[in-house]
Amino acid sequence: MLAFGVPAVYVRLVIESATTGVELLRPRRRRRSRRALVWVGVSAATAGLLAATAVILLIGPLATFPATTYAEDSTVHLQAGSQSLDLPVGTSWTRLGVMPPADAASLVSPDGRYTLDVTLLPSGTVLQEALDRAAGGASTGDAATFWKSERSTGGVVARHRDIVDGDTTKTLIGLERPDGTSVVMIARTASGDVDRYRPLTASIVGSLGGTP
Amino acid sequence: MTGRRPLAVSVLVVVAGVLTGCAAPVTAGWEPPSADSPLMAVTTVSAAAPAKSGGIDVRLLYSAAEGSPSALRWAEIPGAAALNSALRDRARRALDAHAGVSGVAYVPRADAPKLNADQRGCIEGSTTRPASELLADPVLAPQTAGPIVVMTCEIRAAVGSVLVQTLRTVTAKDGGVTSDTEETVYADSANGVVMSGRDLIDASAHTELLTDVVSSLRIEAGAFEDAPQEDFSQWDDARFDSAVTDIALEADGSLDVTLAAGFTLPELEDLGRVPAERPLVMRMAPQHADGVLSANGRGMRAVLSSGAAFAPPAAPWRGQEDIDCNLFACLALTFDDGPSVHTAGILDELKARRAAATFFVQGVNVVNFPELVKRESDEGHQIGNHTWNHPDLTTKSDEEIRGQMGRDDAAIKNAGVAAPKTFRPPYGAYNDRVLAAVGRPAVLWSVDTLDWQQPDDATYLSRAIDQPKPGGIVLMHDIQAVTARLVPQILDGTLSRGFTLVTVDQVVAGTSAAKSRVIKSRG
């Protein structure tokens, strides 16, 4: 591949065609052929360039494109191999992403100020390792990186911690459910709103069996 | 064809722009579920009433005994005998327990390092300071070796007939704190009721209170689930008492629950909550406190929230109180030869410090100042006979002795005061014949200030302040100008050591000395 995404085979074809035309064709035909070949080459190069640009520009927007806004209480089904999870979603919540992956969902609250990424882990995944990856590293044992842990009467263990990143705070939650499934959730909101939205996170955790 | 290229690019840009510009729709008016506010919050307690409130008498015991130091203080309401007795019982129990640890029986001493009036009171912050800091403070704790017990007090409220104070008792041994407990005591002088903060709530409310406490701690720790995992209904009273060391009502009706230092539960540790080194005070708002208060608690809250001015009962004078000199370091200051022009000033100084003294008066002066003798008696001081005009009784006949005593008794009675039951022989001179003729015990002294020799101030003050021991009797003269001038320093100095200034009768009460013919000290 050359610069700007023009395939090398087309450039070589143009050069070779021009060389043989001089030897085999009369001048007018030779000129038309050459022009056609050049056109084919340039068109192909442009198409490639456009395709590459489209991919680059659209991957991000497609993933965050507000695909579905729920008009009533619904359920998002996640599947990771043999593991499955039905995630309740309330009215006016929006799911993001065109053709989202089967094992994950990104949701936005009706006020647009809170996003939640939910990922169902495949069987055999160690939850704490997944949480540490999401947190950008394992706990160093201090209060700031301490993973809080709660066990509900329903037997679900929720580990969680907040990570402040400037104006945004991520709340990372890992759930170990009695049915053996593990879920990683990342809630994002403005740092100043963390306490306001914590009950929302708690209720979502509860809806997954995190609280009785 | 060349015109189509910009078109394609434009389409692409528009699509991308539309996609990137799309945000999730916003529903107006939607709100996330509201947070459950914790019923209680960690707080710090500050004294609500100054320790020097009128009508409050802070008692101090300070012993730097090697091997068994102790320092205890608490606030009493003069005249509220029942509640004062209950408070002293708490001090005695602490001292008895301390004696059990140290192996040394408690004996009152006055070893305080010259504490001023504020330092002798209930000191603000003393119930919340770290124990190690408290034990290192010579104002609160003797700095001598051995197991130690320290009781401090803070006045929480003084409203109407009620005095509320927090008593903190710290014990230590071999440099380590062995216990650190608090008790808020509610004393109602109107009915003599003394109750602990724990009496403010019903035992049936223990589970609810602990649930509220731990739920609040969970919320504060950022838990998703408010409800405690611990089943507090399975806790017995002993376990409750080990966790909740004190309960107190604030003037606004809120309820303070003190958790023991180091209190924790597995579920709190899982939330990253580090146990506090000091007792943790959690405050419950008045509207929530209703659910856990007992009938006594609601009654007490009604008094405290009334905002009424503190109204203690009419206080007896110190000299009229029942004082246990086995508990307090008692000292009897005595003034001979008066009354005189200096006596009124001395009485003023005694009154200002709630101190008692004994005046051995001469008849020749009584007739000149009968109103002062009456005042001495009225203000709770003890009056003793010091003869009519100060002869050496050993040189007098029996009849003359009786004459000296009788004329003085008559002058005293004419001043409106009952005839004294004790006497002090002039010059301290007596013999069996004198004692037989007088027929009442002779009161001598254990410390003679020799004020009549006009010593320099430092010498005089050293004799009057530094030499006395508990149970002692100090000789001074209220006809001496130097005594009148130095009495404020002498009173402050003896009080600063931790003495309780009492009469001769009080200092010997309950001892064999009270029945002896010659009294020199408590014994």
Side-chain angles (χ1 to χ4, degrees), chain B residues 79-87 191-194:
Chain B
L83 68 86
N84 292 343
S85 176
L87 290 165
N191 52 23
V193 168
V194 178

Coordinates of all heavy atoms in Angstrom, one line a residue, chain B residues 79-87 191-194:
Chain B
G79 N -25.6 21.0 97.4 CA -27.0 21.0 97.9 C -27.8 19.8 97.3 O -28.8 19.5 97.9
A80 N -27.3 19.2 96.3 CA -28.0 18.0 95.7 C -27.3 16.8 96.2 O -26.5 16.1 95.5 CB -28.0 18.1 94.2
A81 N -27.5 16.5 97.5 CA -26.7 15.5 98.2 C -26.8 14.1 97.5 O -25.8 13.4 97.4 CB -27.2 15.4 99.7
A82 N -28.0 13.7 97.1 CA -28.2 12.4 96.5 C -27.4 12.2 95.3 O -26.7 11.2 95.1 CB -29.6 12.1 96.3
L83 N -27.4 13.2 94.4 CA -26.7 13.0 93.2 C -25.2 13.2 93.4 O -24.4 12.5 92.7 CB -27.3 14.0 92.1 CG -27.1 15.5 92.2 CD1 -25.8 15.9 91.6 CD2 -28.2 16.1 91.4
N84 N -24.8 14.1 94.3 CA -23.4 14.2 94.6 C -22.9 12.8 95.1 O -21.7 12.4 94.8 CB -23.1 15.3 95.6 CG -23.4 16.7 95.0 OD1 -23.5 16.8 93.8 ND2 -23.6 17.7 95.8
S85 N -23.7 12.2 95.9 CA -23.3 10.9 96.5 C -23.1 9.9 95.4 O -22.2 9.1 95.4 CB -24.3 10.5 97.5 OG -24.0 9.2 98.0
A86 N -24.0 9.9 94.4 CA -24.0 9.0 93.3 C -22.7 9.2 92.5 O -22.1 8.3 92.0 CB -25.2 9.1 92.5
L87 N -22.4 10.5 92.3 CA -21.2 10.8 91.5 C -19.9 10.4 92.3 O -19.0 9.8 91.7 CB -21.1 12.3 91.2 CG -22.2 12.8 90.2 CD1 -22.3 14.3 90.3 CD2 -21.9 12.3 88.8
N191 N -35.1 16.2 91.7 CA -35.6 14.9 92.3 C -34.6 13.9 92.7 O -34.8 12.8 93.1 CB -36.6 14.3 91.2 CG -35.9 14.1 89.9 OD1 -34.6 14.1 89.8 ND2 -36.7 14.0 88.8
G192 N -33.3 14.4 92.6 CA -32.2 13.5 93.0 C -31.9 12.4 92.0 O -31.1 11.5 92.3
V193 N -32.5 12.4 90.9 CA -32.3 11.3 89.9 C -31.0 11.5 89.2 O -30.6 12.6 88.8 CB -33.4 11.3 88.9 CG1 -33.1 10.4 87.7 CG2 -34.7 10.9 89.5
V194 N -30.2 10.4 89.3 CA -29.0 10.4 88.5 C -29.0 9.2 87.6 O -29.2 8.1 88.0 CB -27.7 10.3 89.5 CG1 -26.4 10.2 88.6 CG2 -27.7 11.4 90.4

